[in-house]
Amino acid sequence: MTPEQYAVPLTRRRALWQTLLTVAVLVAVGLLARRHWPVLETGVGRLAVADPGWLLVGATAVAATWLCSALALQGAVPQPLPAGRLVAAQFAASAANHVLPAGLGAGAVNLRFLMRCGLPAARSLTALAVKAAAGGLVRGALIAVLALACPGLLRLPHVPGVFVAGALAAVCLAALPAGRLWPRCRKLLATVSTDVRAVHALPQRAAALWGGSLAFAALHAVALIAVTQAVDLSLHPARVALVYLAASSAAALLPTPGGLGSLDAVLALALTAAGAPGAAAASAVLGYRLLTVWLPLIPGLLVLAVLVRHKAL
């Protein structure tokens, strides 16, 4: 069997595993939502009377994350990219990411964008891997700094058994196809390390990569802080930032579209464990998702369609 013939069934198997993971997570979250439906209703009512000024601050922070994502992607490649198309691609990628699971939408959009800019497919893939690695390292560093600066802020929430079961099932299913992918992963890691050295040989690109990644994570935390202020949730901003960083990192392990369901549940549980009342935590999560997912979704898909039509992707 040739590599091309082998790749087709492998791709189908991965798609099947991802579908099973998504269904398992969404079922678990659906059971949680049904169990706590009165709390969700109260949260919606609380969000309806939220402070519009703070919501505007949150929306501004979310809009700035697309610029930061563009900056980080530019930092991941040595050659200059067209600035306007780069920012538009990040806006479109965020919308695509809410349609496909586990970052596949954003990855596909950015991969097509880089290839349209003249980068080979292999270099485009490693650029995305460099950007993802920088983002993960920055999140880990921010969590460590906040946890050390504010002892006692990071506490594990009590998680209902149904969600634990769903998470364990997701991890087990994800581990099944991993063995066959490991040789490819090792080759990719070697290529990524080469590209990392090439990027860091250019100080401006390294600053863009790390600065954009840091600002992206920080602005998402600012958006959630603004929403908590809008719904009058009395939690210290540092605690909210730490909750967001830890919860979003944990939810990234569960491959639902844009973290739909997984991030909502983990974030609500983490806010509740941090001391927020259930209704206030629900309204904060709903407000954050409104700003980051539902309001930009249709405009982002329209931008995606325009970019595809003009062959920018």
Side-chain angles (χ1 to χ4, degrees):
M1 181 180 290
T2 65
E4 291 77 9
Q5 292 172 326
Y6 177 74
V8 173
L10 181 60
T11 301
R12 290 176 180 173
R13 283 196 295 270
R14 279 189 287 182
L16 175 61
W17 291 125
Q18 289 168 350
T19 301
L20 292 174
L21 288 170
T22 300
V23 171
V25 173
L26 292 180
V27 167
V29 172
L31 293 173
L32 277 176
R34 181 180 178 183
R35 179 180 177 182
H36 299 285
W37 186 251
V39 176
L40 292 177
E41 284 186 320
T42 305
V44 171
R46 189 165 182 165
L47 182 61
V49 295
D51 185 341
W54 277 111
L55 291 179
L56 181 60
V57 172
T60 303
V62 170
T65 61
W66 302 318
L67 298 175
C68 298
S69 181
L71 184 63
L73 185 57
Q74 174 62 88
V77 294
Q79 52 266 59
L81 301 172
R85 285 167 52 197
L86 176 58
V87 175
Q90 300 318 295
F91 183 42
S94 68
N97 206 40
H98 297 132
V99 179
L100 296 174
L104 294 179
V109 169
N110 282 321
L111 178 63
R112 291 288 299 171
F113 170 74
L114 292 175
M115 292 176 65
R116 288 289 186 183
C117 291
L119 275 73
R123 295 298 301 276
S124 300
L125 283 170
T126 55
L128 296 181
V130 169
K131 180 176 180 286
L137 290 172
V138 162
R139 282 176 176 270
L142 286 174
I143 291 173
V145 168
L146 285 172
L148 290 174
C150 308
L153 283 187
L154 190 60
R155 293 184 296 175
L156 294 177
H158 171 71
V159 182
V162 64
F163 194 76
V164 173
L168 290 175
V171 172
C172 293
L173 288 173
L176 290 176
R180 296 178 181 179
L181 296 178
W182 177 240
R184 296 185 180 186
C185 291
R186 285 192 300 180
K187 184 177 180 180
L188 177 62
L189 288 174
T191 308
V192 167
S193 64
T194 301
D195 280 16
V196 166
R197 289 193 295 269
V199 166
H200 285 78
L202 303 170
Q204 289 183 337
R205 291 289 184 265
L209 173 65
W210 293 104
S213 300
L214 175 62
F216 180 85
L219 284 170
H220 268 286
V222 168
L224 181 60
I225 291 170
V227 174
T228 60
Q229 295 295 319
V231 298
D232 197 25
L233 198 164
S234 56
L235 285 180
H236 193 279
R239 184 181 292 272
V240 176
L242 183 56
V243 161
Y244 163 75
L245 292 167
S248 59
S249 299
L253 301 175
L254 303 176
T256 57
L260 181 63
S262 58
L263 177 59
D264 305 80
V266 174
L267 195 54
L269 288 169
L271 286 171
T272 304
S283 61
V285 173
L286 291 171
Y288 173 74
R289 299 299 267 173
L290 178 68
L291 297 180
T292 56
V293 178
W294 303 116
L295 289 181
L297 182 59
I298 299 301
L301 292 176
L302 291 175
V303 171
L304 177 60
V306 170
L307 290 174
V308 171
R309 183 176 181 181
H310 288 82
K311 298 183 178 179
L313 293 178

